PDB file of all heavy atoms in Angstrom:
ATOM      1  N   ARG A 116      84.614  93.774  34.994  1.00  0.00           N
ATOM      2  CA  ARG A 116      84.878  92.330  35.074  1.00  0.00           C
ATOM      3  C   ARG A 116      85.646  92.027  36.347  1.00  0.00           C
ATOM      4  O   ARG A 116      86.693  92.615  36.609  1.00  0.00           O
ATOM      5  CB  ARG A 116      85.691  91.882  33.864  1.00  0.00           C
ATOM      6  CG  ARG A 116      86.052  90.408  33.874  1.00  0.00           C
ATOM      7  CD  ARG A 116      86.950  90.049  32.669  1.00  0.00           C
ATOM      8  NE  ARG A 116      87.489  88.721  32.800  1.00  0.00           N
ATOM      9  CZ  ARG A 116      86.874  87.603  32.435  1.00  0.00           C
ATOM     10  NH1 ARG A 116      85.665  87.659  31.901  1.00  0.00           N
ATOM     11  NH2 ARG A 116      87.441  86.429  32.589  1.00  0.00           N
ATOM     12  N   LEU A 117      85.130  91.075  37.115  1.00  0.00           N
ATOM     13  CA  LEU A 117      85.784  90.619  38.331  1.00  0.00           C
ATOM     14  C   LEU A 117      86.131  89.153  38.153  1.00  0.00           C
ATOM     15  O   LEU A 117      85.303  88.377  37.683  1.00  0.00           O
ATOM     16  CB  LEU A 117      84.850  90.806  39.534  1.00  0.00           C
ATOM     17  CG  LEU A 117      84.286  92.218  39.706  1.00  0.00           C
ATOM     18  CD1 LEU A 117      83.297  92.241  40.870  1.00  0.00           C
ATOM     19  CD2 LEU A 117      85.401  93.226  39.905  1.00  0.00           C
ATOM     20  N   GLU A 118      87.344  88.792  38.527  1.00  0.00           N
ATOM     21  CA  GLU A 118      87.819  87.423  38.349  1.00  0.00           C
ATOM     22  C   GLU A 118      88.256  86.844  39.681  1.00  0.00           C
ATOM     23  O   GLU A 118      88.635  87.571  40.594  1.00  0.00           O
ATOM     24  CB  GLU A 118      89.011  87.406  37.383  1.00  0.00           C
ATOM     25  CG  GLU A 118      88.705  87.990  36.031  1.00  0.00           C
ATOM     26  CD  GLU A 118      89.947  88.138  35.162  1.00  0.00           C
ATOM     27  OE1 GLU A 118      91.083  88.058  35.684  1.00  0.00           O
ATOM     28  OE2 GLU A 118      89.782  88.343  33.945  1.00  0.00           O
ATOM     29  N   LEU A 119      88.233  85.522  39.768  1.00  0.00           N
ATOM     30  CA  LEU A 119      88.791  84.814  40.910  1.00  0.00           C
ATOM     31  C   LEU A 119      89.164  83.414  40.459  1.00  0.00           C
ATOM     32  O   LEU A 119      88.769  82.961  39.385  1.00  0.00           O
ATOM     33  CB  LEU A 119      87.825  84.793  42.097  1.00  0.00           C
ATOM     34  CG  LEU A 119      86.463  84.094  41.936  1.00  0.00           C
ATOM     35  CD1 LEU A 119      86.575  82.589  42.148  1.00  0.00           C
ATOM     36  CD2 LEU A 119      85.473  84.680  42.919  1.00  0.00           C
ATOM     37  N   GLY A 120      89.924  82.751  41.275  1.00  0.00           N
ATOM     38  CA  GLY A 120      90.286  81.368  40.985  1.00  0.00           C
ATOM     39  C   GLY A 120      90.388  80.577  42.274  1.00  0.00           C
ATOM     40  O   GLY A 120      90.677  81.133  43.330  1.00  0.00           O
ATOM     41  N   HIS A 121      90.143  79.275  42.159  1.00  0.00           N
ATOM     42  CA  HIS A 121      90.286  78.395  43.321  1.00  0.00           C
ATOM     43  C   HIS A 121      90.901  77.085  42.863  1.00  0.00           C
ATOM     44  O   HIS A 121      90.745  76.673  41.708  1.00  0.00           O
ATOM     45  CB  HIS A 121      88.935  78.141  44.004  1.00  0.00           C
ATOM     46  CG  HIS A 121      87.946  77.436  43.129  1.00  0.00           C
ATOM     47  ND1 HIS A 121      87.948  76.064  42.978  1.00  0.00           N
ATOM     48  CD2 HIS A 121      86.960  77.916  42.342  1.00  0.00           C
ATOM     49  CE1 HIS A 121      86.990  75.735  42.125  1.00  0.00           C
ATOM     50  NE2 HIS A 121      86.376  76.837  41.719  1.00  0.00           N
ATOM     51  N   CYS A 129      84.550  76.876  45.410  1.00  0.00           N
ATOM     52  CA  CYS A 129      83.751  76.877  44.183  1.00  0.00           C
ATOM     53  C   CYS A 129      82.289  77.211  44.497  1.00  0.00           C
ATOM     54  O   CYS A 129      81.656  77.994  43.779  1.00  0.00           O
ATOM     55  CB  CYS A 129      83.856  75.532  43.473  1.00  0.00           C
ATOM     56  SG  CYS A 129      83.077  75.513  41.845  1.00  0.00           S
ATOM     57  N   ALA A 132      82.009  80.978  45.099  1.00  0.00           N
ATOM     58  CA  ALA A 132      82.083  81.726  43.838  1.00  0.00           C
ATOM     59  C   ALA A 132      80.769  81.632  43.072  1.00  0.00           C
ATOM     60  O   ALA A 132      80.235  82.640  42.595  1.00  0.00           O
ATOM     61  CB  ALA A 132      83.241  81.214  42.987  1.00  0.00           C
ATOM     62  N   THR A 133      80.246  80.446  42.970  1.00  0.00           N
ATOM     63  CA  THR A 133      79.002  80.216  42.228  1.00  0.00           C
ATOM     64  C   THR A 133      77.827  80.926  42.905  1.00  0.00           C
ATOM     65  O   THR A 133      77.020  81.579  42.238  1.00  0.00           O
ATOM     66  CB  THR A 133      78.731  78.710  42.102  1.00  0.00           C
ATOM     67  OG1 THR A 133      79.855  78.108  41.435  1.00  0.00           O
ATOM     68  CG2 THR A 133      77.485  78.435  41.306  1.00  0.00           C
ATOM     69  N   PHE A 137      79.559  84.217  40.224  1.00  0.00           N
ATOM     70  CA  PHE A 137      80.746  84.081  39.377  1.00  0.00           C
ATOM     71  C   PHE A 137      80.629  82.787  38.572  1.00  0.00           C
ATOM     72  O   PHE A 137      80.478  81.704  39.144  1.00  0.00           O
ATOM     73  CB  PHE A 137      82.009  84.050  40.238  1.00  0.00           C
ATOM     74  CG  PHE A 137      82.416  85.407  40.748  1.00  0.00           C
ATOM     75  CD1 PHE A 137      81.691  86.038  41.748  1.00  0.00           C
ATOM     76  CD2 PHE A 137      83.524  86.044  40.221  1.00  0.00           C
ATOM     77  CE1 PHE A 137      82.052  87.288  42.221  1.00  0.00           C
ATOM     78  CE2 PHE A 137      83.899  87.301  40.680  1.00  0.00           C
ATOM     79  CZ  PHE A 137      83.158  87.925  41.689  1.00  0.00           C
ATOM     80  N   LEU A 138      80.695  82.916  37.263  1.00  0.00           N
ATOM     81  CA  LEU A 138      80.570  81.765  36.375  1.00  0.00           C
ATOM     82  C   LEU A 138      81.937  81.144  36.108  1.00  0.00           C
ATOM     83  O   LEU A 138      82.931  81.860  35.915  1.00  0.00           O
ATOM     84  CB  LEU A 138      79.943  82.189  35.051  1.00  0.00           C
ATOM     85  CG  LEU A 138      78.566  82.851  35.145  1.00  0.00           C
ATOM     86  CD1 LEU A 138      78.088  83.282  33.758  1.00  0.00           C
ATOM     87  CD2 LEU A 138      77.569  81.932  35.807  1.00  0.00           C
ATOM     88  N   ALA A 139      81.987  79.820  36.083  1.00  0.00           N
ATOM     89  CA  ALA A 139      83.235  79.122  35.776  1.00  0.00           C
ATOM     90  C   ALA A 139      83.594  79.364  34.319  1.00  0.00           C
ATOM     91  O   ALA A 139      82.733  79.320  33.442  1.00  0.00           O
ATOM     92  CB  ALA A 139      83.083  77.623  36.044  1.00  0.00           C
ATOM     93  N   GLU A 140      84.883  79.636  34.086  1.00  0.00           N
ATOM     94  CA  GLU A 140      85.342  79.909  32.727  1.00  0.00           C
ATOM     95  C   GLU A 140      86.365  78.904  32.218  1.00  0.00           C
ATOM     96  O   GLU A 140      86.589  78.833  31.034  1.00  0.00           O
ATOM     97  CB  GLU A 140      85.929  81.316  32.643  1.00  0.00           C
ATOM     98  CG  GLU A 140      84.883  82.390  32.839  1.00  0.00           C
ATOM     99  CD  GLU A 140      85.396  83.767  32.498  1.00  0.00           C
ATOM    100  OE1 GLU A 140      86.594  84.047  32.712  1.00  0.00           O
ATOM    101  OE2 GLU A 140      84.591  84.559  31.998  1.00  0.00           O
ATOM    102  N   GLY A 141      87.003  78.173  33.107  1.00  0.00           N
ATOM    103  CA  GLY A 141      87.969  77.199  32.632  1.00  0.00           C
ATOM    104  C   GLY A 141      89.004  76.845  33.681  1.00  0.00           C
ATOM    105  O   GLY A 141      89.022  77.396  34.779  1.00  0.00           O
ATOM    106  N   GLU A 157      90.522  76.514  38.868  1.00  0.00           N
ATOM    107  CA  GLU A 157      89.343  76.854  38.080  1.00  0.00           C
ATOM    108  C   GLU A 157      89.118  78.354  38.202  1.00  0.00           C
ATOM    109  O   GLU A 157      89.017  78.887  39.308  1.00  0.00           O
ATOM    110  CB  GLU A 157      88.107  76.104  38.558  1.00  0.00           C
ATOM    111  CG  GLU A 157      86.894  76.391  37.682  1.00  0.00           C
ATOM    112  CD  GLU A 157      85.711  75.510  38.011  1.00  0.00           C
ATOM    113  OE1 GLU A 157      85.223  75.596  39.161  1.00  0.00           O
ATOM    114  OE2 GLU A 157      85.295  74.740  37.133  1.00  0.00           O
ATOM    115  N   THR A 158      89.048  79.029  37.058  1.00  0.00           N
ATOM    116  CA  THR A 158      88.832  80.469  37.022  1.00  0.00           C
ATOM    117  C   THR A 158      87.347  80.754  36.856  1.00  0.00           C
ATOM    118  O   THR A 158      86.658  80.076  36.097  1.00  0.00           O
ATOM    119  CB  THR A 158      89.620  81.094  35.847  1.00  0.00           C
ATOM    120  OG1 THR A 158      91.002  80.787  36.025  1.00  0.00           O
ATOM    121  CG2 THR A 158      89.444  82.593  35.809  1.00  0.00           C
ATOM    122  N   HIS A 159      86.876  81.748  37.610  1.00  0.00           N
ATOM    123  CA  HIS A 159      85.489  82.215  37.542  1.00  0.00           C
ATOM    124  C   HIS A 159      85.510  83.713  37.271  1.00  0.00           C
ATOM    125  O   HIS A 159      86.477  84.403  37.612  1.00  0.00           O
ATOM    126  CB  HIS A 159      84.769  82.001  38.878  1.00  0.00           C
ATOM    127  CG  HIS A 159      84.536  80.586  39.246  1.00  0.00           C
ATOM    128  ND1 HIS A 159      83.272  80.050  39.345  1.00  0.00           N
ATOM    129  CD2 HIS A 159      85.388  79.585  39.570  1.00  0.00           C
ATOM    130  CE1 HIS A 159      83.358  78.779  39.719  1.00  0.00           C
ATOM    131  NE2 HIS A 159      84.639  78.477  39.865  1.00  0.00           N
ATOM    132  N   ALA A 160      84.438  84.240  36.705  1.00  0.00           N
ATOM    133  CA  ALA A 160      84.315  85.681  36.515  1.00  0.00           C
ATOM    134  C   ALA A 160      82.865  86.095  36.651  1.00  0.00           C
ATOM    135  O   ALA A 160      81.941  85.313  36.417  1.00  0.00           O
ATOM    136  CB  ALA A 160      84.854  86.099  35.152  1.00  0.00           C
ATOM    137  N   ARG A 161      82.703  87.352  37.030  1.00  0.00           N
ATOM    138  CA  ARG A 161      81.379  87.970  37.062  1.00  0.00           C
ATOM    139  C   ARG A 161      81.496  89.310  36.352  1.00  0.00           C
ATOM    140  O   ARG A 161      82.422  90.088  36.622  1.00  0.00           O
ATOM    141  CB  ARG A 161      80.906  88.165  38.502  1.00  0.00           C
ATOM    142  CG  ARG A 161      79.504  88.757  38.573  1.00  0.00           C
ATOM    143  CD  ARG A 161      78.957  88.788  39.986  1.00  0.00           C
ATOM    144  NE  ARG A 161      77.743  89.591  40.000  1.00  0.00           N
ATOM    145  CZ  ARG A 161      77.245  90.174  41.065  1.00  0.00           C
ATOM    146  NH1 ARG A 161      77.844  90.025  42.237  1.00  0.00           N
ATOM    147  NH2 ARG A 161      76.154  90.896  40.985  1.00  0.00           N
TER     148      ARG A 161
END
Side-chain angles (χ1 to χ4, degrees):
R116 178 184 170 85
L117 307 176
E118 302 172 345
L119 62 83
H121 63 83
C129 187
T133 302
F137 283 72
L138 302 177
E140 293 191 327
E157 184 172 62
T158 302
H159 292 245
R161 182 173 169 202

